[in-house]
Amino acid sequence: MVKNYFKIAWRNLVKKKAYSVINIFGLGLGMACCFLIFMFVQDELSYDNYHEKGDRIYRVIHGYKSAKDSEESAKANPFWVWGNAPIGPALRQDFPEIEKVVQFSGRADILLTYEDKIYQEDGVFFMDSTAFDVFSWPLVRGNPKTVLAAPYSIVLTESTAKKYFGDADPIGKALHGSESAGRSNAGDYTVTGIMKDVPSNSHFRFNALLSMSTFKKSRPEIFDEWGYVDSYTYFLVKDQFNEAAFKQKIPAFLTRVQKDPNYTIGIEPLKNVYLRTFAERQPGETGSLPNIYVFSIIGIFILVIAIINFMNLATARSMERGKEVGIRKSIGAERSSLIFQFLGESFLIVFLSMMVAALIVFVALPYMIDFTGKQLVVLRFVNWQTIPFMIGGMLLIGLVAGSYPALVLSGFRPALVLKGVTRSTAGGINLRRGLVIFQFSLSIALIAGTIIVYSQMNQLLDKDLGFDKERMLVLDYNYDEAVNRKSQVLKTEMESIPAVLSSAFSRSVPGSHFPNAGTEIQGADGEMKGLGQPIFQVGIDFITHFGLKLVAGRSYSREFPSDSTSALVVNEAAAKQYGYTNPADIVGKKFDQWGRKGVVIGVVKDFNFISLHRTIEPLTLPFEAYASRYMTLKIKTENIPGTIQEIKAVWSRLVPHRPFLYSFLDDDFNRQYQSDFIFRRLFTTFACLAIFIACLGLLGLATYTAELRTKEIGIRKVLGADVRNIIALLSSDFIKLVLIAIVIATPISWYAMNQWLESFAYKMEIRLWIFAVAGLVALFIAAFTISFQSVKAALMNPVTSLRSE
């Protein structure tokens, strides 16, 4: 009997090839899209899960208590992951539930040299020797207890070791390291260990680890300073750790160990640091939980749309199987056996769709990897844990997609069916209409979402940031003192190149890392007021070079030699921070910052030196000639490759010991939006695929509707109806359904996308025209899809349709 059911199912698939292709390909495409999205979401959710002790790892976040317990004051006083060093030993001493503490520095970009190989490594941290006791980073060579114990020890990842030493054994060999920012650590580092490359699903990654004892040897004083920020603190707790009880002990602990009543700390479990953190100054990248929800919903939408297609076509075609059901019932077939038969046919289609889905995934995976930049491997997601879920999912899809058609077909009354009474019930017609409305509501919501995502990203790219970022070539020399000593010579030589318009030196550029500084500025009452804010240490030409606008006072000038030691420029937000609503009022006020004292000489108009996800923060721009990391050149647009070669020649002649590392400022700044660009690409791609799948179902349904009404169309044509009348007749029902879908989708998509826009400080306004355009696009797509079959039916010879039986 089962073999017979299989033969009948196969013959039905072969007999109606068009419907079979639409069903199998549409469902397979939906499954493939859902699986690709599942891979992306699972990769995002898997961050840091590879640590064997991950459920016992926490980290410290640092903050200052808000003046008022309100949302606004909390935003003004965010927590940082980057903080002071003394907190680690203090926690270890006071809390017996802490088993190990591991601390590491802020990222220490460093120039490493071995023989003739010179690279500026931009993924290096000074790390405690307890790192390998806490984190699961497998060592290929070396003792995990000692590799980071001695000063001037270095542990390399396998790829970094290969870069310097090839296939030779690097253990015991020395790499010469230059000094990095704020750390007097130049010297020869002995390779003591080789470790596996850090997995891609880690919230921070690195190429090499330097021993923290090296940093302590060069700057011992900062490890006792509660106000010096340059450490990340993670710790491993013992089993049965009570997080709530631990947090309750923090206030008393802070009162014992330090004097600042406003300073506070919190803790975050490792499982939360990638997707659920709210702290700033992360050691690496973070993800977006709202984006994960959006992608998951899109994946479900696509699969639901594909299942709806299957149900619509199966129920619409049910009357063709009416006589078969009538004969089976009249010779004794029970309803349960008929349900089993038709569910079996459903499972067969689902199985074939799974095969199509596997093929689509195989073809599409390289593009998905290119889209996301992730290392997505199918075998990583298909294992003994996920296979039962996949089989269960396939059975569930077959059951959901096939249950209604099976119940409808098995419920036919044989006496009526064998008399030819096989009309669709009103319930079946309404169900199909409801499913079409539902899937097009989803499609319209996705179209509107795509327009909003593109508009928001274009706003980010096109917004006037308040500084000149076009044609800016940034040379990174990582604070090299030898380069800073030659800064004036470099400036003169570079600006002698005809294509170079101007140049400037600075410690930070917009979009790059910047420190924060405690700064005292005289208030309106004459008292010194101490606050903290970001700091850009800049050269004398920085403000004019970047086109920053002065709203009060003046910029730094060579006509005032004292500017190098006793002058300060701030932005408008900093002036407001100190209580001056009129920027001109802060000019001439005294300041004290990092050992420099003098007066504020100017105020620049606020400019977006950080991502547009955040509002403009208070900023000070002290003049510092010898603490720079970057040389920025404004160049002409003609023959950029030739200009770069000229600049490289000057660089190699004046500072031959430094590699020539350059980038363009606009590219660097836009790199902050990399995750947003990935979101846009994925959202748009899968939204288009969802719409395409919906149209497949609509095409199949329109084709079947036209077949059912073949005789009606023939009669109408004989009675004088023209092609336009026939097309309008066949299209009007579907167009009405799409119009209803527009009404349903508009408020839903408005709410969903408004929630997504909340993550941007500068967000577009959602206007009604977006939903009008989305609706028109959906109408056009639906009309185009239906018209193909409608025109074909309208052009059919009525003689042929009326004589066929």
Side-chain angles (χ1 to χ4, degrees):
M1 185 63 70
V2 173
K3 182 179 179 181
N4 183 54
Y5 286 165
F6 179 81
K7 283 183 178 179
I8 292 171
W10 182 254
R11 286 169 181 169
N12 273 297
L13 289 177
V14 173
K15 180 181 178 182
K16 296 289 185 178
K17 295 183 179 63
Y19 296 112
S20 300
V21 169
I22 289 174
N23 257 339
I24 294 171
F25 179 73
L27 193 55
L29 183 59
M31 289 178 176
C33 292
C34 194
F35 184 75
L36 290 170
I37 291 173
F38 163 77
M39 291 176 69
F40 176 82
V41 169
Q42 278 299 105
D43 186 84
E44 289 286 286
L45 295 175
S46 72
Y47 267 66
D48 302 303
N49 288 348
Y50 64 89
H51 293 291
E52 295 175 4
K53 305 171 186 175
D55 59 335
R56 295 194 288 130
I57 299 175
Y58 288 76
R59 72 178 181 186
V60 178
I61 54 175
H62 309 256
Y64 283 85
K65 296 173 185 175
S66 303
K68 296 179 182 178
D69 187 15
S70 68
E71 184 179 348
E72 286 303 315
S73 59
K75 288 180 180 178
N77 296 275
F79 274 85
W80 283 16
V81 189
W82 196 33
N84 60 68
I87 193 68
L91 283 169
R92 181 70 182 89
Q93 183 175 349
D94 271 44
F95 291 91
E97 52 263 58
I98 293 179
E99 191 174 303
K100 297 278 185 181
V101 172
V102 57
Q103 292 183 291
F104 53 94
S105 67
R107 201 181 77 184
D109 299 348
I110 187 171
L111 191 72
L112 291 177
T113 306
Y114 179 73
E115 295 178 347
D116 60 339
K117 296 176 182 177
I118 303 175
Y119 297 100
Q120 180 167 301
E121 294 294 345
D122 58 0
V124 180
F125 293 90
F126 288 89
M127 184 80 69
D128 274 340
S129 58
T130 53
F132 295 99
D133 295 327
V134 176
F135 301 114
S136 299
W137 295 325
L139 277 170
V140 179
R141 299 285 308 277
N143 184 340
K145 303 290 184 184
T146 60
V147 285
L148 288 174
Y152 290 93
S153 300
I154 185 170
V155 175
L156 305 176
T157 61
E158 286 184 309
S159 57
T160 306
K162 191 170 185 65
K163 183 167 65 174
Y164 288 96
F165 301 101
D167 295 326
D169 183 5
I171 299 297
K173 295 180 180 177
L175 286 168
H176 182 75
S178 67
E179 182 177 340
S180 58
R183 308 176 184 98
S184 303
N185 44 57
D188 291 329
Y189 288 86
T190 302
V191 179
T192 54
I194 305 297
M195 61 174 283
K196 293 279 188 182
D197 288 354
V198 182
S200 60
N201 57 341
S202 180
H203 76 281
F204 78 98
R205 296 188 285 274
F206 50 84
N207 299 320
L209 296 176
L210 309 176
S211 58
M212 183 65 85
S213 56
T214 311
F215 193 4
K216 289 180 179 178
K217 186 176 180 180
S218 62
R219 297 285 304 279
E221 70 281 358
I222 68 172
F223 289 85
D224 296 319
E225 294 182 15
W226 287 86
Y228 190 91
V229 177
D230 197 16
S231 291
Y232 294 96
T233 303
Y234 289 60
F235 58 92
L236 178 70
V237 299
K238 296 177 182 177
D239 290 326
Q240 310 303 319
F241 174 70
N242 188 326
E243 184 178 339
F246 185 93
K247 290 179 177 178
Q248 289 179 353
K249 299 176 187 177
I250 287 176
F253 158 74
L254 291 174
T255 302
R256 289 194 303 272
V257 299
Q258 55 87 49
K259 298 179 181 179
D260 188 346
N262 294 319
Y263 172 71
T264 186
I265 64 169
I267 62 171
E268 284 184 332
L270 185 66
K271 64 183 179 182
N272 289 351
V273 302
Y274 181 69
L275 286 175
R276 295 175 176 86
T277 184
F278 58 87
E280 297 180 2
R281 296 296 187 129
Q282 298 285 338
E285 61 182 332
T286 57
S288 170
L289 197 58
N291 286 0
I292 296 299
Y293 290 144
V294 169
F295 285 132
S296 300
I297 291 170
I298 289 176
I300 294 170
F301 279 4
I302 291 175
L303 191 58
V304 167
I305 289 171
I307 293 173
I308 287 173
N309 286 349
F310 177 84
M311 292 180 67
N312 263 341
L313 289 176
T315 53
R317 290 186 57 228
S318 60
M319 62 194 69
E320 289 185 7
R321 307 284 297 276
K323 288 186 179 179
E324 175 193 340
V325 172
I327 292 171
R328 286 182 181 277
K329 278 195 166 187
S330 65
I331 60 176
E334 295 182 358
R335 187 176 186 185
S336 58
S337 64
L338 290 171
I339 291 174
F340 179 77
Q341 175 192 345
F342 294 122
L343 282 178
E345 293 182 14
S346 172
F347 288 132
L348 175 62
I349 292 174
V350 171
F351 176 75
L352 294 174
S353 299
M354 284 283 285
M355 299 297 102
V356 172
L359 180 62
I360 293 172
V361 169
F362 176 78
V363 173
L365 190 58
Y367 299 98
M368 186 72 173
I369 293 171
D370 184 55
F371 268 21
T372 63
K374 290 183 174 292
Q375 298 176 10
L376 302 176
V377 181
V378 172
L379 294 179
R380 180 175 153 197
F381 302 95
V382 180
N383 50 53
W384 65 272
Q385 292 177 315
T386 58
I387 287 176
F389 286 101
M390 291 181 181
I391 295 173
M394 184 180 75
L395 294 175
L396 181 63
I397 292 170
L399 185 64
V400 171
S403 58
Y404 184 81
L407 293 171
V408 170
L409 288 168
S410 64
F412 281 166
R413 295 173 62 184
L416 293 176
V417 169
L418 293 176
K419 289 179 180 179
V421 181
T422 58
R423 286 187 171 276
S424 295
T425 64
I429 294 172
N430 290 333
L431 174 68
R432 289 195 293 276
R433 287 173 177 171
L435 292 176
V436 169
I437 291 171
F438 181 72
Q439 64 180 181
F440 264 87
S441 296
L442 300 183
S443 300
I444 292 163
L446 290 174
I447 294 170
T450 301
I451 295 171
I452 291 169
V453 168
Y454 260 87
S455 299
Q456 175 63 20
M457 292 308 299
N458 288 339
Q459 178 170 305
L460 293 184
L461 296 177
D462 298 338
K463 185 181 184 300
D464 181 9
L465 300 175
F467 66 91
D468 189 357
K469 67 183 176 73
E470 305 299 330
R471 301 173 293 126
M472 288 288 191
L473 190 72
V474 181
L475 308 184
D476 181 1
Y477 57 89
N478 198 33
Y479 310 96
D480 192 310
E481 291 184 358
V483 178
N484 279 325
R485 284 193 295 268
K486 292 185 177 181
S487 59
Q488 192 55 49
V489 177
L490 272 167
K491 181 177 176 64
T492 302
E493 290 285 331
M494 292 296 186
E495 290 181 350
S496 68
I497 299 172
V500 176
L501 302 175
S502 62
S503 66
F505 288 84
S506 60
R507 177 174 182 169
S508 305
V509 293
S512 75
H513 172 81
F514 52 84
N516 275 50
T519 308
E520 290 187 346
I521 294 181
Q522 188 178 18
D525 57 1
E527 297 295 322
M528 298 297 286
K529 183 179 180 181
L531 295 169
Q533 66 282 124
I535 175 175
F536 268 35
Q537 291 170 287
V538 302
I540 196 167
D541 300 305
F542 182 91
I543 292 172
T544 54
H545 174 68
F546 277 91
L548 304 184
K549 297 179 177 62
L550 281 164
V551 294
R554 63 176 179 85
S555 181
Y556 299 115
S557 171
R558 290 179 176 83
E559 297 178 3
F560 298 90
S562 61
D563 281 359
S564 62
T565 56
S566 58
L568 182 67
V569 174
V570 302
N571 71 348
E572 292 174 296
K576 291 177 184 176
Q577 184 187 28
Y578 286 95
Y580 296 99
T581 54
N582 181 7
D585 293 341
I586 200 173
V587 177
K589 301 300 182 182
K590 296 178 182 178
F591 79 89
D592 186 346
Q593 181 187 71
W594 278 5
R596 298 174 73 248
K597 295 182 179 182
V599 296
V600 176
I601 64 168
V603 182
V604 296
K605 186 177 179 61
D606 284 341
F607 64 99
N608 294 96
F609 59 94
I610 50 179
S611 161
L612 293 174
H613 281 280
R614 294 159 58 185
T615 56
I616 297 174
E617 297 180 13
L619 177 71
T620 59
L621 298 95
F623 178 19
E624 178 55 70
Y626 298 108
S628 297
R629 171 172 182 161
Y630 302 104
M631 182 181 191
T632 314
L633 307 172
K634 184 183 292 185
I635 62 175
K636 296 179 180 179
T637 54
E638 298 83 10
N639 191 23
I640 290 178
T643 301
I644 292 174
Q645 288 304 313
E646 290 186 71
I647 293 169
K648 181 180 181 180
V650 173
W651 183 268
S652 301
R653 175 165 53 84
L654 294 178
V655 282
H657 68 288
R658 291 293 315 187
F660 180 68
L661 303 176
Y662 73 91
S663 60
F664 286 94
L665 183 62
D666 53 353
D667 292 336
D668 292 342
F669 194 87
N670 291 341
R671 201 167 289 122
Q672 298 175 103
Y673 308 121
Q674 183 176 1
S675 61
D676 297 309
F677 291 136
I678 291 172
F679 177 81
R680 182 178 72 174
R681 286 197 296 268
L682 290 179
F683 190 99
T684 304
T685 300
F686 287 111
C688 291
L689 288 171
I691 296 162
F692 174 72
I693 294 169
C695 289
L696 276 181
L698 195 61
L699 175 63
L701 209 54
T703 302
Y704 186 72
T705 302
E707 285 184 6
L708 285 181
R709 303 178 73 172
T710 299
K711 281 188 171 59
E712 177 190 347
I713 292 168
I715 293 170
R716 287 179 180 275
K717 292 190 75 173
V718 168
L719 294 175
D722 59 15
V723 173
R724 287 177 299 174
N725 299 135
I726 301 301
I727 292 174
L729 174 70
L730 294 175
S731 303
S732 59
D733 286 344
F734 293 110
I735 297 300
K736 289 175 185 175
L737 299 181
V738 176
L739 289 173
I740 295 172
I742 293 172
V743 175
I744 294 172
T746 297
I748 295 172
S749 55
W750 179 88
Y751 176 79
M753 296 313 297
N754 195 56
Q755 292 297 112
W756 176 74
L757 288 170
E758 287 299 317
S759 65
F760 296 90
Y762 300 89
K763 56 186 179 182
M764 62 169 286
E765 183 180 350
I766 301 179
R767 298 185 180 276
L768 189 61
W769 68 263
I770 293 173
F771 304 103
V773 170
L776 288 173
V777 170
L779 275 174
F780 174 79
I781 292 172
F784 180 79
T785 304
I786 298 165
S787 64
F788 173 78
Q789 187 60 37
S790 300
V791 170
K792 181 180 176 182
L795 294 175
M796 182 183 294
N797 190 336
V799 175
T800 305
S801 60
L802 291 174
R803 74 183 179 191
S804 65
E805 183 58 50

